[in-house]
Amino acid sequence: MTNNTFSQPFPSNQSVYPYNHVTQTRSGHVFEVDDTLGNERIHEKHKSGTSRTVLPDGSLDTTVVKNRYTAVCGDDTVTIEGIASITFGVEGSPTYVNITIHGDCNMEVNGNYTQTVKGEYKLKCGSYKNEVLGDKAETIVGKKESYRDWE
């Protein structure tokens, strides 16, 4: 099941003077620190619309209106204790995703694993080993071709 909908959290504007401190620069950048009890948050917004808000519950809401670049010059670990969803592109827009791993890649799924490819699926590898530790079922709708290229 694919869910391509996403809605950002929208903080309720319950700021109370004098606990909400806002600085807006001449060009339109905004820096805000809100110490209102129950609505404590930190917000910064670039005049382009790119923004980052730390919400009262500790959530981080980030909006980037153009490109984003991240460089980690050491180790990086990401742990998500909840649901993770990554969507590339927008329905109807052409998208190309390239992932390059210089080294080994290991993936472990402690549950079911489903792949859906609505176009052509190609696998190119140096060697192929497949081990099935339980039942195997295969359904082919269409024709199956097997051949060896002995060049």
Short mmCIF file of all heavy atoms in Angstrom, two decimals, residues 26-91:
data_model
loop_
_atom_site.label_atom_id
_atom_site.label_comp_id
_atom_site.label_asym_id
_atom_site.label_seq_id
_atom_site.Cartn_x
_atom_site.Cartn_y
_atom_site.Cartn_z
N ARG A 26 14.96 43.26 7.77
CA ARG A 26 14.49 44.14 6.70
C ARG A 26 14.11 43.37 5.45
O ARG A 26 13.15 43.71 4.77
CB ARG A 26 15.60 45.14 6.37
CG ARG A 26 15.14 46.55 6.41
CD ARG A 26 16.25 47.54 6.28
NE ARG A 26 17.00 47.37 5.04
CZ ARG A 26 18.11 48.00 4.76
NH1 ARG A 26 18.62 48.83 5.63
NH2 ARG A 26 18.73 47.80 3.63
N SER A 27 14.86 42.30 5.16
CA SER A 27 14.57 41.54 3.93
C SER A 27 13.44 40.52 4.11
O SER A 27 12.97 39.96 3.14
CB SER A 27 15.83 40.81 3.45
OG SER A 27 16.22 39.82 4.38
N GLY A 28 13.02 40.27 5.35
CA GLY A 28 11.88 39.38 5.55
C GLY A 28 12.19 38.08 6.26
O GLY A 28 11.32 37.23 6.40
N HIS A 29 13.43 37.89 6.74
CA HIS A 29 13.74 36.70 7.53
C HIS A 29 13.08 36.83 8.90
O HIS A 29 12.99 37.93 9.45
CB HIS A 29 15.25 36.54 7.73
CG HIS A 29 16.04 36.51 6.46
ND1 HIS A 29 15.75 35.66 5.42
CD2 HIS A 29 17.12 37.22 6.08
CE1 HIS A 29 16.62 35.85 4.45
NE2 HIS A 29 17.46 36.80 4.82
N VAL A 30 12.60 35.69 9.46
CA VAL A 30 11.90 35.72 10.75
C VAL A 30 12.58 34.75 11.71
O VAL A 30 12.86 33.61 11.36
CB VAL A 30 10.41 35.32 10.59
CG1 VAL A 30 9.71 35.26 11.94
CG2 VAL A 30 9.70 36.29 9.66
N PHE A 31 12.83 35.23 12.93
CA PHE A 31 13.37 34.41 14.01
C PHE A 31 12.41 34.56 15.18
O PHE A 31 12.14 35.68 15.62
CB PHE A 31 14.78 34.88 14.41
CG PHE A 31 15.75 34.81 13.28
CD1 PHE A 31 15.98 35.91 12.47
CD2 PHE A 31 16.44 33.64 13.01
CE1 PHE A 31 16.87 35.85 11.41
CE2 PHE A 31 17.34 33.56 11.96
CZ PHE A 31 17.55 34.66 11.16
N GLU A 32 11.92 33.43 15.68
CA GLU A 32 10.90 33.48 16.72
C GLU A 32 11.21 32.46 17.82
O GLU A 32 11.52 31.32 17.54
CB GLU A 32 9.54 33.17 16.09
CG GLU A 32 8.38 33.19 17.03
CD GLU A 32 7.06 32.93 16.31
OE1 GLU A 32 7.06 32.66 15.09
OE2 GLU A 32 6.03 32.98 16.99
N VAL A 33 11.13 32.91 19.06
CA VAL A 33 11.26 32.04 20.21
C VAL A 33 10.01 32.28 21.05
O VAL A 33 9.76 33.40 21.50
CB VAL A 33 12.53 32.34 21.04
CG1 VAL A 33 12.57 31.46 22.29
CG2 VAL A 33 13.77 32.12 20.20
N ASP A 34 9.21 31.23 21.22
CA ASP A 34 7.96 31.35 21.94
C ASP A 34 8.06 30.59 23.26
O ASP A 34 8.22 29.37 23.26
CB ASP A 34 6.82 30.80 21.08
CG ASP A 34 5.44 31.10 21.66
OD1 ASP A 34 5.37 31.61 22.80
OD2 ASP A 34 4.45 30.82 20.97
N ASP A 35 7.98 31.30 24.36
CA ASP A 35 8.03 30.70 25.69
C ASP A 35 6.64 30.63 26.32
O ASP A 35 6.51 30.42 27.53
CB ASP A 35 8.96 31.50 26.61
CG ASP A 35 10.42 31.26 26.28
OD1 ASP A 35 10.76 30.15 25.86
OD2 ASP A 35 11.23 32.21 26.44
N THR A 36 5.59 30.79 25.51
CA THR A 36 4.23 30.69 26.03
C THR A 36 4.01 29.30 26.60
O THR A 36 4.26 28.30 25.92
CB THR A 36 3.20 30.97 24.91
OG1 THR A 36 3.45 32.25 24.35
CG2 THR A 36 1.78 30.89 25.44
N LEU A 37 3.54 29.22 27.82
CA LEU A 37 3.34 27.93 28.50
C LEU A 37 2.45 27.01 27.66
O LEU A 37 1.34 27.39 27.29
CB LEU A 37 2.72 28.16 29.88
CG LEU A 37 2.62 26.92 30.78
CD1 LEU A 37 4.01 26.34 31.05
CD2 LEU A 37 1.93 27.26 32.08
N GLY A 38 2.95 25.84 27.33
CA GLY A 38 2.20 24.87 26.52
C GLY A 38 2.38 25.06 25.03
O GLY A 38 1.92 24.23 24.24
N ASN A 39 2.98 26.14 24.61
CA ASN A 39 3.19 26.42 23.19
C ASN A 39 4.66 26.76 22.91
O ASN A 39 4.97 27.45 21.96
CB ASN A 39 2.28 27.58 22.74
CG ASN A 39 2.19 27.67 21.23
OD1 ASN A 39 1.96 26.67 20.55
ND2 ASN A 39 2.39 28.85 20.68
N GLU A 40 5.56 26.25 23.75
CA GLU A 40 6.98 26.57 23.61
C GLU A 40 7.50 26.03 22.29
O GLU A 40 7.40 24.85 22.02
CB GLU A 40 7.79 25.95 24.76
CG GLU A 40 7.39 26.45 26.13
CD GLU A 40 6.26 25.65 26.77
OE1 GLU A 40 5.61 24.85 26.07
OE2 GLU A 40 6.02 25.84 27.96
N ARG A 41 8.02 26.93 21.47
CA ARG A 41 8.55 26.52 20.16
C ARG A 41 9.60 27.49 19.69
O ARG A 41 9.71 28.61 20.19
CB ARG A 41 7.43 26.39 19.13
CG ARG A 41 6.69 27.66 18.88
CD ARG A 41 5.43 27.44 18.05
NE ARG A 41 4.66 28.66 18.04
CZ ARG A 41 4.86 29.67 17.21
NH1 ARG A 41 5.80 29.58 16.29
NH2 ARG A 41 4.13 30.76 17.28
N ILE A 42 10.38 27.03 18.71
CA ILE A 42 11.41 27.85 18.08
C ILE A 42 11.14 27.81 16.58
O ILE A 42 10.94 26.73 16.01
CB ILE A 42 12.82 27.31 18.38
CG1 ILE A 42 13.07 27.26 19.88
CG2 ILE A 42 13.88 28.16 17.68
CD1 ILE A 42 14.31 26.49 20.27
N HIS A 43 11.13 28.96 15.94
CA HIS A 43 10.80 29.02 14.52
C HIS A 43 11.77 29.97 13.81
O HIS A 43 12.06 31.05 14.32
CB HIS A 43 9.36 29.53 14.35
CG HIS A 43 8.95 29.74 12.93
ND1 HIS A 43 8.68 28.70 12.07
CD2 HIS A 43 8.75 30.87 12.22
CE1 HIS A 43 8.33 29.18 10.88
NE2 HIS A 43 8.37 30.49 10.95
N GLU A 44 12.27 29.52 12.66
CA GLU A 44 13.05 30.42 11.81
C GLU A 44 12.58 30.24 10.38
O GLU A 44 12.27 29.14 9.95
CB GLU A 44 14.56 30.16 11.94
CG GLU A 44 15.03 28.81 11.50
CD GLU A 44 16.54 28.63 11.64
OE1 GLU A 44 17.25 29.58 11.96
OE2 GLU A 44 16.99 27.51 11.42
N LYS A 45 12.48 31.35 9.68
CA LYS A 45 11.96 31.31 8.30
C LYS A 45 12.76 32.26 7.43
O LYS A 45 12.94 33.44 7.76
CB LYS A 45 10.48 31.70 8.29
CG LYS A 45 9.84 31.61 6.92
CD LYS A 45 8.35 31.89 7.01
CE LYS A 45 7.70 31.77 5.64
NZ LYS A 45 6.26 32.03 5.71
N HIS A 46 13.24 31.73 6.31
CA HIS A 46 13.96 32.53 5.33
C HIS A 46 12.92 33.26 4.47
O HIS A 46 11.80 32.78 4.29
CB HIS A 46 14.81 31.59 4.45
CG HIS A 46 15.69 32.29 3.48
ND1 HIS A 46 15.28 32.61 2.21
CD2 HIS A 46 16.96 32.74 3.61
CE1 HIS A 46 16.27 33.20 1.57
NE2 HIS A 46 17.30 33.30 2.40
N LYS A 47 13.28 34.37 3.91
CA LYS A 47 12.33 35.14 3.11
C LYS A 47 11.80 34.36 1.90
O LYS A 47 10.74 34.65 1.39
CB LYS A 47 12.94 36.47 2.65
CG LYS A 47 14.06 36.31 1.65
CD LYS A 47 14.57 37.65 1.19
CE LYS A 47 15.52 37.46 0.02
NZ LYS A 47 15.72 38.70 -0.71
N SER A 48 12.53 33.31 1.46
CA SER A 48 12.10 32.49 0.33
C SER A 48 10.95 31.55 0.70
O SER A 48 10.29 31.01 -0.16
CB SER A 48 13.27 31.64 -0.17
OG SER A 48 13.64 30.69 0.82
N GLY A 49 10.76 31.32 2.02
CA GLY A 49 9.74 30.38 2.48
C GLY A 49 10.32 29.15 3.14
O GLY A 49 9.60 28.40 3.79
N THR A 50 11.61 28.88 2.95
CA THR A 50 12.24 27.76 3.64
C THR A 50 12.20 28.03 5.13
O THR A 50 12.53 29.14 5.57
CB THR A 50 13.68 27.57 3.15
OG1 THR A 50 13.65 27.17 1.77
CG2 THR A 50 14.42 26.51 3.96
N SER A 51 11.76 27.03 5.92
CA SER A 51 11.61 27.27 7.35
C SER A 51 11.88 26.01 8.16
O SER A 51 11.89 24.90 7.63
CB SER A 51 10.20 27.77 7.66
OG SER A 51 9.25 26.76 7.39
N ARG A 52 12.11 26.25 9.46
CA ARG A 52 12.32 25.16 10.40
C ARG A 52 11.65 25.56 11.70
O ARG A 52 11.85 26.67 12.20
CB ARG A 52 13.81 24.94 10.59
CG ARG A 52 14.15 23.87 11.61
CD ARG A 52 15.62 23.56 11.68
NE ARG A 52 16.43 24.76 11.73
CZ ARG A 52 17.67 24.84 11.25
NH1 ARG A 52 18.22 23.80 10.69
NH2 ARG A 52 18.35 25.95 11.35
N THR A 53 10.83 24.63 12.25
CA THR A 53 10.13 24.90 13.50
C THR A 53 10.28 23.72 14.44
O THR A 53 10.02 22.58 14.04
CB THR A 53 8.62 25.16 13.26
OG1 THR A 53 8.47 26.21 12.31
CG2 THR A 53 7.91 25.53 14.54
N VAL A 54 10.71 23.98 15.67
CA VAL A 54 10.69 22.98 16.72
C VAL A 54 9.37 23.18 17.45
O VAL A 54 9.13 24.25 18.04
CB VAL A 54 11.89 23.13 17.68
CG1 VAL A 54 11.81 22.06 18.77
CG2 VAL A 54 13.20 23.04 16.94
N LEU A 55 8.50 22.19 17.38
CA LEU A 55 7.15 22.28 17.94
C LEU A 55 7.15 21.96 19.43
O LEU A 55 8.11 21.38 19.95
CB LEU A 55 6.22 21.33 17.17
CG LEU A 55 6.09 21.67 15.68
CD1 LEU A 55 5.43 20.54 14.93
CD2 LEU A 55 5.31 22.95 15.51
N PRO A 56 6.07 22.31 20.13
CA PRO A 56 6.01 22.11 21.59
C PRO A 56 6.27 20.67 22.03
O PRO A 56 6.82 20.44 23.11
CB PRO A 56 4.59 22.55 21.95
CG PRO A 56 4.20 23.50 20.89
CD PRO A 56 4.88 23.01 19.64
N ASP A 57 5.88 19.68 21.22
CA ASP A 57 6.08 18.27 21.62
C ASP A 57 7.47 17.75 21.25
O ASP A 57 7.77 16.58 21.45
CB ASP A 57 5.00 17.38 21.02
CG ASP A 57 5.07 17.27 19.50
OD1 ASP A 57 5.93 17.95 18.87
OD2 ASP A 57 4.27 16.52 18.92
N GLY A 58 8.33 18.62 20.70
CA GLY A 58 9.68 18.21 20.32
C GLY A 58 9.79 17.81 18.86
O GLY A 58 10.88 17.51 18.38
N SER A 59 8.69 17.79 18.12
CA SER A 59 8.73 17.49 16.69
C SER A 59 9.48 18.59 15.95
O SER A 59 9.48 19.75 16.38
CB SER A 59 7.31 17.39 16.12
OG SER A 59 6.60 16.34 16.71
N LEU A 60 10.10 18.23 14.85
CA LEU A 60 10.80 19.20 14.01
C LEU A 60 10.12 19.23 12.66
O LEU A 60 10.00 18.21 11.97
CB LEU A 60 12.28 18.80 13.84
CG LEU A 60 13.12 19.69 12.93
CD1 LEU A 60 13.20 21.11 13.49
CD2 LEU A 60 14.50 19.10 12.74
N ASP A 61 9.65 20.40 12.26
CA ASP A 61 8.97 20.59 10.98
C ASP A 61 9.89 21.43 10.10
O ASP A 61 10.24 22.56 10.46
CB ASP A 61 7.64 21.30 11.21
CG ASP A 61 6.89 21.58 9.92
OD1 ASP A 61 7.24 20.99 8.88
OD2 ASP A 61 5.96 22.41 9.95
N THR A 62 10.34 20.86 8.98
CA THR A 62 11.25 21.56 8.08
C THR A 62 10.63 21.64 6.69
O THR A 62 10.14 20.64 6.17
CB THR A 62 12.61 20.81 7.98
OG1 THR A 62 13.14 20.67 9.29
CG2 THR A 62 13.59 21.56 7.12
N THR A 63 10.66 22.81 6.09
CA THR A 63 10.18 23.00 4.73
C THR A 63 11.31 23.63 3.93
O THR A 63 11.86 24.65 4.33
CB THR A 63 8.96 23.93 4.70
OG1 THR A 63 7.92 23.35 5.48
CG2 THR A 63 8.46 24.13 3.27
N VAL A 64 11.67 22.98 2.82
CA VAL A 64 12.70 23.51 1.92
C VAL A 64 12.02 23.79 0.59
O VAL A 64 11.48 22.87 -0.03
CB VAL A 64 13.86 22.50 1.74
CG1 VAL A 64 14.91 23.05 0.79
CG2 VAL A 64 14.47 22.15 3.08
N VAL A 65 12.02 25.04 0.14
CA VAL A 65 11.28 25.40 -1.07
C VAL A 65 12.06 25.17 -2.36
O VAL A 65 11.49 25.25 -3.43
CB VAL A 65 10.78 26.86 -1.02
CG1 VAL A 65 9.83 27.06 0.14
CG2 VAL A 65 11.92 27.84 -0.95
N LYS A 66 13.34 24.85 -2.27
CA LYS A 66 14.11 24.57 -3.49
C LYS A 66 14.94 23.32 -3.25
O LYS A 66 14.38 22.28 -2.98
CB LYS A 66 14.98 25.77 -3.87
CG LYS A 66 15.56 25.64 -5.27
CD LYS A 66 15.67 26.96 -5.96
CE LYS A 66 16.37 26.99 -7.26
NZ LYS A 66 16.41 25.98 -8.17
N ASN A 67 16.24 23.38 -3.33
CA ASN A 67 17.10 22.21 -3.19
C ASN A 67 17.63 22.11 -1.77
O ASN A 67 17.76 23.10 -1.07
CB ASN A 67 18.28 22.29 -4.16
CG ASN A 67 17.82 22.38 -5.60
OD1 ASN A 67 16.84 21.77 -5.97
ND2 ASN A 67 18.53 23.14 -6.41
N ARG A 68 17.98 20.87 -1.37
CA ARG A 68 18.59 20.63 -0.07
C ARG A 68 19.81 19.75 -0.25
O ARG A 68 19.77 18.76 -0.98
CB ARG A 68 17.59 19.93 0.86
CG ARG A 68 18.16 19.68 2.24
CD ARG A 68 17.21 18.90 3.09
NE ARG A 68 18.00 17.82 3.69
CZ ARG A 68 17.51 16.92 4.50
NH1 ARG A 68 16.24 16.93 4.80
NH2 ARG A 68 18.27 16.00 5.00
N TYR A 69 20.90 20.09 0.40
CA TYR A 69 22.14 19.33 0.32
C TYR A 69 22.59 18.99 1.73
O TYR A 69 22.58 19.84 2.61
CB TYR A 69 23.23 20.14 -0.38
CG TYR A 69 22.80 20.65 -1.73
CD1 TYR A 69 22.25 21.92 -1.88
CD2 TYR A 69 22.90 19.84 -2.86
CE1 TYR A 69 21.83 22.38 -3.12
CE2 TYR A 69 22.49 20.29 -4.10
CZ TYR A 69 21.95 21.56 -4.22
OH TYR A 69 21.53 22.01 -5.45
N THR A 70 22.96 17.74 1.94
CA THR A 70 23.45 17.31 3.24
C THR A 70 24.76 16.56 3.02
O THR A 70 24.82 15.65 2.20
CB THR A 70 22.44 16.37 3.93
OG1 THR A 70 21.19 17.06 4.05
CG2 THR A 70 22.92 15.95 5.30
N ALA A 71 25.79 16.92 3.77
CA ALA A 71 27.06 16.21 3.71
C ALA A 71 27.43 15.80 5.13
O ALA A 71 27.42 16.61 6.04
CB ALA A 71 28.16 17.09 3.13
N VAL A 72 27.72 14.52 5.32
CA VAL A 72 28.17 14.00 6.61
C VAL A 72 29.59 13.51 6.38
O VAL A 72 29.82 12.60 5.59
CB VAL A 72 27.26 12.86 7.10
CG1 VAL A 72 27.78 12.30 8.41
CG2 VAL A 72 25.83 13.34 7.25
N CYS A 73 30.54 14.11 7.06
CA CYS A 73 31.95 13.78 6.85
C CYS A 73 32.45 12.79 7.89
O CYS A 73 33.62 12.80 8.26
CB CYS A 73 32.78 15.06 6.87
SG CYS A 73 32.31 16.20 5.56
N GLY A 74 31.58 11.94 8.35
CA GLY A 74 31.90 10.91 9.33
C GLY A 74 30.76 9.90 9.30
O GLY A 74 30.08 9.77 8.29
N ASP A 75 30.54 9.22 10.38
CA ASP A 75 29.46 8.23 10.45
C ASP A 75 28.11 8.92 10.61
O ASP A 75 28.03 10.05 11.09
CB ASP A 75 29.68 7.28 11.63
CG ASP A 75 30.94 6.44 11.45
OD1 ASP A 75 31.41 6.31 10.31
OD2 ASP A 75 31.44 5.92 12.46
N ASP A 76 27.06 8.23 10.22
CA ASP A 76 25.71 8.74 10.36
C ASP A 76 24.79 7.58 10.70
O ASP A 76 24.86 6.53 10.06
CB ASP A 76 25.25 9.40 9.05
CG ASP A 76 23.97 10.20 9.19
OD1 ASP A 76 23.53 10.44 10.33
OD2 ASP A 76 23.41 10.59 8.15
N THR A 77 23.97 7.74 11.70
CA THR A 77 23.01 6.71 12.09
C THR A 77 21.64 7.35 12.17
O THR A 77 21.49 8.41 12.78
CB THR A 77 23.38 6.11 13.46
OG1 THR A 77 24.68 5.52 13.36
CG2 THR A 77 22.38 5.05 13.89
N VAL A 78 20.65 6.73 11.55
CA VAL A 78 19.28 7.21 11.61
C VAL A 78 18.43 6.12 12.23
O VAL A 78 18.43 4.99 11.74
CB VAL A 78 18.75 7.57 10.21
CG1 VAL A 78 17.29 8.01 10.28
CG2 VAL A 78 19.60 8.63 9.56
N THR A 79 17.74 6.43 13.31
CA THR A 79 16.83 5.49 13.94
C THR A 79 15.45 6.12 13.95
O THR A 79 15.28 7.25 14.41
CB THR A 79 17.26 5.18 15.39
OG1 THR A 79 18.58 4.62 15.36
CG2 THR A 79 16.32 4.20 16.06
N ILE A 80 14.48 5.41 13.43
CA ILE A 80 13.10 5.90 13.39
C ILE A 80 12.24 4.93 14.18
O ILE A 80 12.14 3.77 13.81
CB ILE A 80 12.60 6.03 11.95
CG1 ILE A 80 13.50 7.01 11.18
CG2 ILE A 80 11.14 6.47 11.91
CD1 ILE A 80 13.25 7.06 9.70
N GLU A 81 11.65 5.39 15.26
CA GLU A 81 10.78 4.54 16.08
C GLU A 81 9.34 4.85 15.73
O GLU A 81 8.58 5.39 16.53
CB GLU A 81 11.05 4.78 17.56
CG GLU A 81 12.43 4.33 18.00
CD GLU A 81 12.63 4.51 19.49
OE1 GLU A 81 11.67 4.77 20.22
OE2 GLU A 81 13.79 4.39 19.92
N GLY A 82 8.97 4.53 14.53
CA GLY A 82 7.62 4.82 14.04
C GLY A 82 7.58 4.49 12.56
O GLY A 82 8.40 3.73 12.06
N ILE A 83 6.65 5.06 11.87
CA ILE A 83 6.46 4.80 10.44
C ILE A 83 7.34 5.75 9.65
O ILE A 83 7.38 6.94 9.94
CB ILE A 83 4.98 4.97 10.06
CG1 ILE A 83 4.14 3.94 10.81
CG2 ILE A 83 4.79 4.86 8.55
CD1 ILE A 83 2.65 4.15 10.67
N ALA A 84 8.04 5.24 8.66
CA ALA A 84 8.86 6.07 7.77
C ALA A 84 8.31 5.96 6.36
O ALA A 84 7.93 4.88 5.91
CB ALA A 84 10.31 5.61 7.81
N SER A 85 8.23 7.06 5.68
CA SER A 85 7.74 7.07 4.30
C SER A 85 8.60 8.02 3.50
O SER A 85 8.84 9.15 3.91
CB SER A 85 6.28 7.53 4.27
OG SER A 85 5.82 7.61 2.94
N ILE A 86 9.08 7.56 2.35
CA ILE A 86 9.88 8.39 1.46
C ILE A 86 9.18 8.40 0.11
O ILE A 86 8.93 7.35 -0.48
CB ILE A 86 11.32 7.86 1.30
CG1 ILE A 86 12.01 7.82 2.66
CG2 ILE A 86 12.10 8.72 0.31
CD1 ILE A 86 13.37 7.13 2.63
N THR A 87 8.86 9.57 -0.40
CA THR A 87 8.22 9.71 -1.70
C THR A 87 9.10 10.60 -2.55
O THR A 87 9.46 11.70 -2.14
CB THR A 87 6.82 10.33 -1.56
OG1 THR A 87 6.03 9.50 -0.72
CG2 THR A 87 6.14 10.46 -2.91
N PHE A 88 9.46 10.13 -3.73
CA PHE A 88 10.25 10.92 -4.66
C PHE A 88 9.32 11.42 -5.75
O PHE A 88 8.57 10.66 -6.33
CB PHE A 88 11.37 10.09 -5.30
CG PHE A 88 12.42 9.65 -4.32
CD1 PHE A 88 12.39 8.38 -3.79
CD2 PHE A 88 13.43 10.51 -3.95
CE1 PHE A 88 13.37 7.96 -2.90
CE2 PHE A 88 14.41 10.11 -3.05
CZ PHE A 88 14.37 8.83 -2.53
N GLY A 89 9.36 12.70 -6.04
CA GLY A 89 8.56 13.27 -7.11
C GLY A 89 7.11 13.42 -6.71
O GLY A 89 6.70 13.10 -5.61
N VAL A 90 6.35 13.94 -7.63
CA VAL A 90 4.93 14.15 -7.45
C VAL A 90 4.22 13.39 -8.55
O VAL A 90 4.71 13.32 -9.68
CB VAL A 90 4.60 15.66 -7.54
CG1 VAL A 90 3.12 15.93 -7.39
CG2 VAL A 90 5.40 16.44 -6.52
N GLU A 91 3.08 12.81 -8.25
CA GLU A 91 2.30 12.04 -9.24
C GLU A 91 2.20 12.82 -10.54
O GLU A 91 1.82 13.98 -10.55
CB GLU A 91 0.91 11.77 -8.69
CG GLU A 91 0.06 10.91 -9.59
CD GLU A 91 0.04 9.47 -9.15
OE1 GLU A 91 0.37 9.18 -8.00
OE2 GLU A 91 -0.32 8.63 -9.98
#
